Amino acid sequence: MTATAPTAEAAVRKSSPGAARGPRRRPGRIRRAGLPYLLLLPALLLELLVHLVPMVIGAVMSFKELTQFYIRDWGTAPWAGLDNYAVSVDFDAPVGKALLHSFLVTIAFTLLSVGLCWLIGTAAAVFMQDTFRGRGLLRALFLVPYALPVYAAVITWVFMFQHDNGLVNHVLHDQLGLTDKPSFWLIGDNSFLALLTVSVWKGWPFAFLIVMAGLQNIPRELYEAAALDGAGMLQQIRRITLPSLRPVNQVLVLVLFLWTFNDFNTPYVLFGRSAPEAADLISVHIYQASFVTWNFGTGSAMSVLLLLFLLVVTGVYLVLTSRGRRTAP
């Protein structure tokens, strides 16, 4: 009996289909588990080449005395250590003072642009929730500024802001008489208002699109119950709409902030290589410090400081919003 027992056990193992398929399942599971990562590999490699590699190179350049004399072979530029950073944050010197002014202008511009984009987009999205004739056409018209190419849209605004034959001065001065004389919109203090107008015009449709998508997830029964209880439209927006849109608004505000703070195309196309002092955004300022004065080391240091600032702001914002979600009832 002892001799036939192992033989019978082996026969049972060979005849069992589950036992025969057992060892063959593990490679298939590994392949299926690794398939998503394999599909993501091309995108990760492109992300590495397009974003991470230039960031690392820029960080290395910020520690070098990289000027026009070393452009052909920037690796031979002498090391400067933290001198470029010291020059950038020395707010008593001309370079640091100009960078601080540009930073403050960018902060004011970003806060106003993001706030107005969110306010106009939210108001338009709430208004478009009601059914009326021509709503689809109006939605399409609202999205036109967001769908237009940036260069085409901003160049159109450049012609509209012209001093002598621009549409803005024609309406404000010639037709409405709101100004004593035609204004200069692309130079002087009015350049900040011109830049803010263009930024809000092309940015609020994105807020409108995101908020309108978030409103689709709010049950209509909540508004009907609130209306039966005597709540007006403002009370419904305050008690139902805004609390329900809180997760959407948290992401929307962060994206708008990052996009607006880093915006380079709008001021560059609107004002050219040299932006007015009132509209000297930090993105154009870093461009001028790098490609106009040919001091790539200082420009790279400013870029690294900008990156660190945005990382800190994003981290603090995410911590505060996540804490708010946990404490919310």
Side-chain angles (χ1 to χ4, degrees), residues 58-78:
V60 174
M61 291 170 58
S62 66
F63 295 101
K64 287 179 170 287
E65 294 181 6
L66 185 57
T67 59
Q68 68 268 29
F69 302 106
Y70 301 98
I71 293 299
R72 186 171 183 179
D73 189 6
W74 68 272
T76 60

mmCIF file of all heavy atoms in Angstrom, residues 58-78:
data_model
loop_
_atom_site.group_PDB
_atom_site.id
_atom_site.type_symbol
_atom_site.label_atom_id
_atom_site.label_comp_id
_atom_site.label_asym_id
_atom_site.label_seq_id
_atom_site.Cartn_x
_atom_site.Cartn_y
_atom_site.Cartn_z
ATOM 1 N N GLY A 58 17.846 73.285 -17.053
ATOM 2 C CA GLY A 58 17.671 74.656 -16.581
ATOM 3 C C GLY A 58 18.179 74.844 -15.163
ATOM 4 O O GLY A 58 18.763 75.889 -14.840
ATOM 5 N N ALA A 59 17.948 73.852 -14.310
ATOM 6 C CA ALA A 59 18.456 73.946 -12.941
ATOM 7 C C ALA A 59 19.980 73.958 -12.924
ATOM 8 O O ALA A 59 20.604 74.695 -12.149
ATOM 9 C CB ALA A 59 17.921 72.789 -12.103
ATOM 10 N N VAL A 60 20.614 73.156 -13.782
ATOM 11 C CA VAL A 60 22.078 73.159 -13.867
ATOM 12 C C VAL A 60 22.578 74.496 -14.410
ATOM 13 O O VAL A 60 23.577 75.053 -13.912
ATOM 14 C CB VAL A 60 22.555 71.987 -14.752
ATOM 15 C CG1 VAL A 60 24.062 72.062 -14.975
ATOM 16 C CG2 VAL A 60 22.186 70.657 -14.116
ATOM 17 N N MET A 61 21.894 75.043 -15.384
ATOM 18 C CA MET A 61 22.301 76.331 -15.951
ATOM 19 C C MET A 61 22.219 77.459 -14.939
ATOM 20 O O MET A 61 22.953 78.456 -15.044
ATOM 21 C CB MET A 61 21.439 76.655 -17.168
ATOM 22 C CG MET A 61 21.685 75.760 -18.369
ATOM 23 S SD MET A 61 20.447 75.982 -19.694
ATOM 24 C CE MET A 61 20.627 77.717 -20.037
ATOM 25 N N SER A 62 21.311 77.339 -13.964
ATOM 26 C CA SER A 62 21.176 78.409 -12.977
ATOM 27 C C SER A 62 22.386 78.526 -12.066
ATOM 28 O O SER A 62 22.540 79.546 -11.380
ATOM 29 C CB SER A 62 19.917 78.174 -12.131
ATOM 30 O OG SER A 62 20.051 77.002 -11.334
ATOM 31 N N PHE A 63 23.238 77.521 -12.035
ATOM 32 C CA PHE A 63 24.453 77.566 -11.209
ATOM 33 C C PHE A 63 25.689 77.928 -12.036
ATOM 34 O O PHE A 63 26.807 77.798 -11.541
ATOM 35 C CB PHE A 63 24.675 76.213 -10.531
ATOM 36 C CG PHE A 63 23.616 75.852 -9.546
ATOM 37 C CD1 PHE A 63 22.607 74.962 -9.894
ATOM 38 C CD2 PHE A 63 23.598 76.405 -8.275
ATOM 39 C CE1 PHE A 63 21.614 74.617 -8.991
ATOM 40 C CE2 PHE A 63 22.603 76.072 -7.365
ATOM 41 C CZ PHE A 63 21.609 75.181 -7.729
ATOM 42 N N LYS A 64 25.499 78.395 -13.262
ATOM 43 C CA LYS A 64 26.610 78.738 -14.137
ATOM 44 C C LYS A 64 26.553 80.202 -14.544
ATOM 45 O O LYS A 64 25.483 80.815 -14.568
ATOM 46 C CB LYS A 64 26.589 77.857 -15.397
ATOM 47 C CG LYS A 64 27.011 76.418 -15.171
ATOM 48 C CD LYS A 64 26.937 75.626 -16.458
ATOM 49 C CE LYS A 64 27.587 74.266 -16.297
ATOM 50 N NZ LYS A 64 29.066 74.379 -16.240
ATOM 51 N N GLU A 65 27.712 80.758 -14.862
ATOM 52 C CA GLU A 65 27.794 82.104 -15.420
ATOM 53 C C GLU A 65 27.613 82.009 -16.935
ATOM 54 O O GLU A 65 28.543 82.214 -17.712
ATOM 55 C CB GLU A 65 29.142 82.742 -15.070
ATOM 56 C CG GLU A 65 29.343 82.997 -13.591
ATOM 57 C CD GLU A 65 30.683 83.649 -13.307
ATOM 58 O OE1 GLU A 65 31.397 83.993 -14.281
ATOM 59 O OE2 GLU A 65 31.012 83.821 -12.128
ATOM 60 N N LEU A 66 26.403 81.704 -17.319
ATOM 61 C CA LEU A 66 26.106 81.430 -18.719
ATOM 62 C C LEU A 66 25.663 82.724 -19.410
ATOM 63 O O LEU A 66 24.564 83.222 -19.176
ATOM 64 C CB LEU A 66 25.028 80.357 -18.831
ATOM 65 C CG LEU A 66 24.695 79.868 -20.237
ATOM 66 C CD1 LEU A 66 25.923 79.326 -20.939
ATOM 67 C CD2 LEU A 66 23.608 78.808 -20.188
ATOM 68 N N THR A 67 26.512 83.267 -20.246
ATOM 69 C CA THR A 67 26.218 84.467 -21.010
ATOM 70 C C THR A 67 26.336 84.142 -22.496
ATOM 71 O O THR A 67 26.485 82.981 -22.885
ATOM 72 C CB THR A 67 27.184 85.604 -20.634
ATOM 73 O OG1 THR A 67 28.525 85.172 -20.883
ATOM 74 C CG2 THR A 67 27.041 85.965 -19.152
ATOM 75 N N GLN A 68 26.285 85.189 -23.325
ATOM 76 C CA GLN A 68 26.346 84.961 -24.762
ATOM 77 C C GLN A 68 27.687 84.406 -25.219
ATOM 78 O O GLN A 68 27.809 83.868 -26.324
ATOM 79 C CB GLN A 68 26.036 86.252 -25.525
ATOM 80 C CG GLN A 68 27.080 87.343 -25.386
ATOM 81 C CD GLN A 68 26.769 88.273 -24.234
ATOM 82 O OE1 GLN A 68 26.146 87.853 -23.255
ATOM 83 N NE2 GLN A 68 27.199 89.521 -24.357
ATOM 84 N N PHE A 69 28.707 84.518 -24.375
ATOM 85 C CA PHE A 69 30.030 84.034 -24.759
ATOM 86 C C PHE A 69 30.146 82.511 -24.659
ATOM 87 O O PHE A 69 31.098 81.944 -25.186
ATOM 88 C CB PHE A 69 31.099 84.687 -23.885
ATOM 89 C CG PHE A 69 31.082 86.184 -23.952
ATOM 90 C CD1 PHE A 69 30.590 86.934 -22.884
ATOM 91 C CD2 PHE A 69 31.524 86.855 -25.077
ATOM 92 C CE1 PHE A 69 30.563 88.310 -22.932
ATOM 93 C CE2 PHE A 69 31.493 88.242 -25.140
ATOM 94 C CZ PHE A 69 31.016 88.976 -24.066
ATOM 95 N N TYR A 70 29.183 81.877 -23.971
ATOM 96 C CA TYR A 70 29.248 80.422 -23.788
ATOM 97 C C TYR A 70 28.049 79.714 -24.394
ATOM 98 O O TYR A 70 27.793 78.559 -24.062
ATOM 99 C CB TYR A 70 29.327 80.087 -22.299
ATOM 100 C CG TYR A 70 30.522 80.691 -21.590
ATOM 101 C CD1 TYR A 70 30.395 81.870 -20.874
ATOM 102 C CD2 TYR A 70 31.765 80.075 -21.655
ATOM 103 C CE1 TYR A 70 31.482 82.426 -20.224
ATOM 104 C CE2 TYR A 70 32.861 80.623 -20.998
ATOM 105 C CZ TYR A 70 32.709 81.804 -20.303
ATOM 106 O OH TYR A 70 33.800 82.347 -19.661
ATOM 107 N N ILE A 71 27.293 80.399 -25.261
ATOM 108 C CA ILE A 71 26.092 79.794 -25.820
ATOM 109 C C ILE A 71 26.447 78.593 -26.694
ATOM 110 O O ILE A 71 25.752 77.561 -26.688
ATOM 111 C CB ILE A 71 25.296 80.830 -26.631
ATOM 112 C CG1 ILE A 71 24.745 81.895 -25.689
ATOM 113 C CG2 ILE A 71 24.151 80.176 -27.391
ATOM 114 C CD1 ILE A 71 23.820 81.375 -24.640
ATOM 115 N N ARG A 72 27.529 78.692 -27.443
ATOM 116 C CA ARG A 72 27.873 77.613 -28.365
ATOM 117 C C ARG A 72 28.188 76.325 -27.620
ATOM 118 O O ARG A 72 27.860 75.229 -28.085
ATOM 119 C CB ARG A 72 29.070 78.038 -29.214
ATOM 120 C CG ARG A 72 29.428 77.051 -30.316
ATOM 121 C CD ARG A 72 30.470 77.627 -31.237
ATOM 122 N NE ARG A 72 30.762 76.712 -32.335
ATOM 123 C CZ ARG A 72 31.626 76.974 -33.310
ATOM 124 N NH1 ARG A 72 32.272 78.135 -33.321
ATOM 125 N NH2 ARG A 72 31.827 76.095 -34.280
ATOM 126 N N ASP A 73 28.813 76.428 -26.459
ATOM 127 C CA ASP A 73 29.129 75.258 -25.643
ATOM 128 C C ASP A 73 28.892 75.646 -24.183
ATOM 129 O O ASP A 73 29.814 76.034 -23.472
ATOM 130 C CB ASP A 73 30.578 74.821 -25.873
ATOM 131 C CG ASP A 73 30.878 73.476 -25.209
ATOM 132 O OD1 ASP A 73 29.932 72.854 -24.685
ATOM 133 O OD2 ASP A 73 32.058 73.069 -25.202
ATOM 134 N N TRP A 74 27.630 75.558 -23.775
ATOM 135 C CA TRP A 74 27.277 76.063 -22.456
ATOM 136 C C TRP A 74 27.846 75.213 -21.335
ATOM 137 O O TRP A 74 27.942 75.667 -20.189
ATOM 138 C CB TRP A 74 25.763 76.150 -22.317
ATOM 139 C CG TRP A 74 25.058 74.815 -22.289
ATOM 140 C CD1 TRP A 74 24.625 74.113 -23.355
ATOM 141 C CD2 TRP A 74 24.723 74.056 -21.137
ATOM 142 N NE1 TRP A 74 24.025 72.948 -22.955
ATOM 143 C CE2 TRP A 74 24.068 72.879 -21.586
ATOM 144 C CE3 TRP A 74 24.896 74.230 -19.772
ATOM 145 C CZ2 TRP A 74 23.603 71.909 -20.729
ATOM 146 C CZ3 TRP A 74 24.436 73.270 -18.896
ATOM 147 C CH2 TRP A 74 23.796 72.125 -19.376
ATOM 148 N N GLY A 75 28.263 73.994 -21.643
ATOM 149 C CA GLY A 75 28.859 73.165 -20.608
ATOM 150 C C GLY A 75 30.195 73.690 -20.118
ATOM 151 O O GLY A 75 30.637 73.360 -19.004
ATOM 152 N N THR A 76 30.876 74.521 -20.910
ATOM 153 C CA THR A 76 32.172 75.076 -20.503
ATOM 154 C C THR A 76 32.039 76.353 -19.695
ATOM 155 O O THR A 76 33.061 76.924 -19.300
ATOM 156 C CB THR A 76 33.017 75.357 -21.753
ATOM 157 O OG1 THR A 76 32.331 76.307 -22.589
ATOM 158 C CG2 THR A 76 33.263 74.071 -22.547
ATOM 159 N N ALA A 77 30.832 76.830 -19.478
ATOM 160 C CA ALA A 77 30.642 78.054 -18.687
ATOM 161 C C ALA A 77 31.094 77.819 -17.252
ATOM 162 O O ALA A 77 30.860 76.753 -16.679
ATOM 163 C CB ALA A 77 29.174 78.478 -18.723
ATOM 164 N N PRO A 78 31.755 78.798 -16.648
ATOM 165 C CA PRO A 78 32.234 78.609 -15.261
ATOM 166 C C PRO A 78 31.078 78.536 -14.278
ATOM 167 O O PRO A 78 30.010 79.120 -14.486
ATOM 168 C CB PRO A 78 33.103 79.845 -15.028
ATOM 169 C CG PRO A 78 32.583 80.868 -15.988
ATOM 170 C CD PRO A 78 32.130 80.108 -17.190
#
